[in-house]
Amino acid sequence: MNLHTLTIAQAQALLAKKEISSVELTRAFLDRIEKYDNTISAFITVDPELALEQAEQADRIIAKGENQAFTGIPVALKDVLCTKGVKTTCASKILENFVPQYDATVVEKFKAQDAVLIGKTNMDEFAMGSSTENSAFFATRNPWNTDHVPGGSSGGSAAAVAARFCAGAVGTDTGGSIRQPASHCGVVGLKPTYGRVSRFGVVAYASSLDQVGPITRDVADAAMMLNLMGGHDPKDSTSAPEQMPDFTKGIDMFKEQGLSGMTAGIPKEFLTLEGIDPEVKTMFESARKTLEGIGVTIKEISLPHTNYVVAAYYIIAPCEASANLARFDGVRYGVRDMESDDLIEMYKRTKSKGFGLEVQRRIIIGTYSLSSGYYDAYYGRASQVRALIMDDFKRAFEECDIILSPVAPTPAFKIGEKVADPLTMYLSDIFTLSCNMAGIPGISVPAGISSTGLPMGLQMMSRHFDEISLIRAGYGFEQAVGKDIELPEL
């Protein structure tokens, strides 16, 4: 049995029946990481000794019959989640040797169920990017074709799942950073409603946009991970006090009633955007027909302010980033320049050496937009546009249950292709940004393969706190097109 090919659900069943051990499962993933990650570069930190210790502990718990859903399951964490005693770098030189003294709430939840935390994955520095090329350490490569990017900023997590280095992974999504890399790597990525999952212990990029979510092999695994990760957290002031449903009920609903009675909206503005690859259009049309074939009613809807989404996002996110990253000044923690003669010079040199070019670019944009005389013209106006975008979605969901779009305008591009053109890179997230601006949930489900052998994903979005509709529709679509797009052998 190739243990590295198991989904979370399959591994859970075998562990519970004691047909495999967590140590065996963890070793299978560690062996694969050792063999292939020198090419893929999905991980910043892997501690085999610690992972096997956690696996041994999990096996003892399973032997006593005290196991929970994720006991013994190897999971990877994006290196933006604080992990007690383990380096948490945010893929930045400024935090290269930072070791947190506490766990993020999401990490605590996995530890409470004795999951195996197999490693910390690579990312765009401070989650700013769409390709994982902005990591201060190295670029991650797409397991489907190592000349291409895996997407970003959670590219390491998506590549790790696609390369079968772990059973599932945790990512964060500020403007598409779970869904876009999931699409590029042929896996499932779920961005929950803003406030559904605690952000406590997640190093902040843009506080009103960031959300933590799962990246998995299939929709059922994503539902199970969200069951564990979600819930109100008093340590996070933005955590919503909403009742937590069992998200796997979405799968039960599909099995009982299919997708009959569900209406999906297609925004007319999305189909007229420039720069959409013809193969993405073909994939999307095929996905539409597939959903119609399994009982979904398709209708055209309107999101009138779509053309303003990218501009508004790239004011709001950098403004919040400039405030959040001000704390990295060389005084309290992280790298400090030791050659400066005075405090102000130390600040300047520390930030210039510690932050990469993309992070510096966004800090400068944000600081300028928040400065005296410009706040109302930039941040104030962008916030007003955001309110209009939220109203667009509210009206749209009066007509439909879910909204459909491609995840990305193109399949994964080549490494280095867009690095010198930030504006073109920003447009990689044109379909995903509005979901974060509105705070609604979205999911990426594998939907096809391009002529060059690269995966493409279908995005579904739903009302606030209605992830169950996404699970139901995503699972149904997955069953119709084939549960898993199998990777070529590495």
Side-chain angles (χ1 to χ4, degrees), residues 59 72 85 101 109 217 227 280 350 352 377 381 386 410 443:
D59 283 334
Q101 301 304 303
K109 289 188 173 190
R217 290 260 317 263
N227 276 348
V280 172
T350 294
S352 296
R381 185 161 294 184
R386 184 179 190 177
T410 67
I443 192 171

Side-chain angles (χ1 to χ4, degrees), residues 130 150-152 173 175-190 270 273 276 280-281 283-284 287 403-412 426-436 442-448 455-461 477:
S130 304
D173 193 311
S177 291
I178 286 174
R179 290 159 289 150
Q180 186 248 30
S183 173
H184 284 344
C185 290
V187 293
V188 172
L190 173 59
F270 282 6
L273 292 171
I276 304 176
V280 172
K281 290 183 178 180
M283 173 277 295
F284 185 65
I403 293 174
L404 305 177
S405 79
V407 177
T410 67
Y426 295 166
L427 291 172
S428 299
D429 298 327
I430 194 165
F431 291 118
T432 54
L433 293 176
S434 57
C435 188
N436 298 79
I443 192 171
S444 170
V445 183
M456 299 174 288
L458 174 69
Q459 177 175 232
M460 302 176 180
M461 297 175 278
F477 179 75

Side-chain angles (χ1 to χ4, degrees), residues 126 128 203-208 210 315-329 332-333 351 355 359-360 362-371 375 379:
F126 284 102
M128 298 183 195
V203 181
Y205 162 22
S207 301
S208 73
D210 298 341
I315 293 294
I316 291 172
C319 284
E320 296 185 8
S322 73
N324 281 324
L325 272 63
R327 71 194 69 177
F328 302 108
D329 54 14
R332 283 156 285 202
Y333 48 83
K351 290 173 182 279
F355 290 137
V359 174
Q360 292 185 43
R362 297 195 193 193
I363 290 172
I364 290 168
I365 291 170
T367 303
Y368 178 84
S369 300
L370 291 173
S371 60
Y375 178 94
Y379 187 77

Side-chain angles (χ1 to χ4, degrees), residues 65-230:
E66 299 174 355
N67 47 302
Q68 301 177 74
F70 278 83
T71 303
I73 301 293
V75 175
L77 303 172
K78 184 176 181 178
D79 203 23
V80 72
L81 286 91
C82 287
T83 313
K84 185 176 181 179
V86 178
K87 280 202 304 183
T88 300
T89 71
C90 295
S92 178
K93 291 288 187 183
I94 209 159
L95 289 178
E96 187 170 9
N97 296 308
F98 174 59
V99 179
Q101 301 304 303
Y102 66 98
D103 285 319
T105 295
V106 168
V107 176
E108 281 184 347
K109 289 188 173 190
F110 279 104
K111 286 187 174 181
Q113 291 206 1
D114 292 286
V116 176
L117 305 181
I118 203 163
K120 306 294 290 292
T121 58
N122 196 26
M123 55 186 281
D124 286 296
E125 184 180 7
F126 284 102
M128 298 183 195
S130 304
S131 65
T132 316
E133 293 170 287
N134 291 334
S135 170
F137 307 128
F138 43 78
T140 298
R141 296 177 178 272
N142 193 317
W144 289 80
N145 185 329
T146 54
D147 290 333
H148 290 250
V149 301
S153 64
S154 305
S157 289
V161 174
R164 313 308 190 242
F165 292 160
C166 55
V170 178
T172 62
D173 193 311
T174 307
S177 291
I178 286 174
R179 290 159 289 150
Q180 186 248 30
S183 173
H184 284 344
C185 290
V187 293
V188 172
L190 173 59
K191 175 225 171 276
T193 305
Y194 182 79
R196 173 69 84 184
V197 179
S198 173
R199 294 189 304 109
F200 179 79
V202 179
V203 181
Y205 162 22
S207 301
S208 73
L209 299 164
D210 298 341
Q211 188 54 205
V212 187
I215 299 176
T216 58
R217 290 260 317 263
D218 60 25
V219 174
D221 283 359
M224 287 186 287
M225 280 188 70
L226 189 55
N227 276 348
L228 172 62
M229 295 165 62

Side-chain angles (χ1 to χ4, degrees), residues 283-305:
M283 173 277 295
F284 185 65
E285 177 61 19
S286 175
R288 181 190 68 78
K289 289 179 179 178
T290 297
L291 287 167
E292 276 189 315
I294 55 176
V296 177
T297 300
I298 306 290
K299 70 178 298 182
E300 185 180 271
I301 60 169
S302 179
L303 298 174
H305 296 92

Side-chain angles (χ1 to χ4, degrees), residues 233-473:
D233 178 12
K235 292 182 286 188
D236 175 8
S237 62
T238 64
S239 176
E242 293 285 322
Q243 186 173 356
M244 272 284 291
D246 177 359
F247 295 105
T248 62
K249 286 183 178 178
I251 296 169
D252 296 335
M253 289 173 67
F254 173 77
K255 290 178 178 178
E256 292 168 4
Q257 53 192 280
L259 299 183
S260 59
M262 181 171 278
T263 301
I266 297 179
K268 62 183 180 182
E269 293 82 6
F270 282 6
L271 301 180
T272 58
L273 292 171
E274 295 181 4
I276 304 176
D277 188 286
E279 290 195 81
V280 172
K281 290 183 178 180
T282 300
M283 173 277 295
F284 185 65
E285 177 61 19
S286 175
R288 181 190 68 78
K289 289 179 179 178
T290 297
L291 287 167
E292 276 189 315
I294 55 176
V296 177
T297 300
I298 306 290
K299 70 178 298 182
E300 185 180 271
I301 60 169
S302 179
L303 298 174
H305 296 92
T306 293
N307 287 335
Y308 301 101
V309 170
V310 174
Y313 176 90
Y314 279 104
I315 293 294
I316 291 172
C319 284
E320 296 185 8
S322 73
N324 281 324
L325 272 63
R327 71 194 69 177
F328 302 108
D329 54 14
V331 176
R332 283 156 285 202
Y333 48 83
V335 170
R336 174 188 293 186
D337 179 79
M338 304 300 291
E339 300 174 5
S340 304
D341 295 328
D342 61 71
L343 183 64
I344 301 302
E345 184 67 18
M346 188 274 286
Y347 285 162
K348 291 179 181 177
R349 292 170 68 100
T350 294
K351 290 173 182 279
S352 296
K353 290 181 178 179
F355 290 137
L357 292 178
E358 182 60 28
V359 174
Q360 292 185 43
R361 180 183 294 115
R362 297 195 193 193
I363 290 172
I364 290 168
I365 291 170
T367 303
Y368 178 84
S369 300
L370 291 173
S371 60
S372 177
Y374 296 101
Y375 178 94
D376 290 334
Y378 292 103
Y379 187 77
R381 185 161 294 184
S383 297
Q384 291 173 334
V385 171
R386 184 179 190 177
L388 294 174
I389 293 166
M390 294 175 76
D391 287 342
D392 286 349
F393 276 99
K394 185 176 180 180
R395 284 192 292 271
F397 283 124
E398 292 174 358
E399 303 180 54
C400 59
D401 301 299
I402 59 173
I403 293 174
L404 305 177
S405 79
V407 177
T410 67
F413 46 89
K414 286 189 174 182
I415 292 174
E417 183 178 326
K418 298 184 180 182
V419 169
D421 188 354
L423 292 179
T424 302
M425 184 77 81
Y426 295 166
L427 291 172
S428 299
D429 298 327
I430 194 165
F431 291 118
T432 54
L433 293 176
S434 57
C435 188
N436 298 79
M437 295 286 275
I440 60 175
I443 192 171
S444 170
V445 183
I449 304 289
S450 73
S451 60
T452 55
L454 294 165
M456 299 174 288
L458 174 69
Q459 177 175 232
M460 302 176 180
M461 297 175 278
S462 64
R463 299 176 182 88
H464 290 96
F465 301 105
D466 187 21
E467 290 88 353
I468 282 182
S469 287
L470 295 183
I471 298 296
R472 177 187 171 193

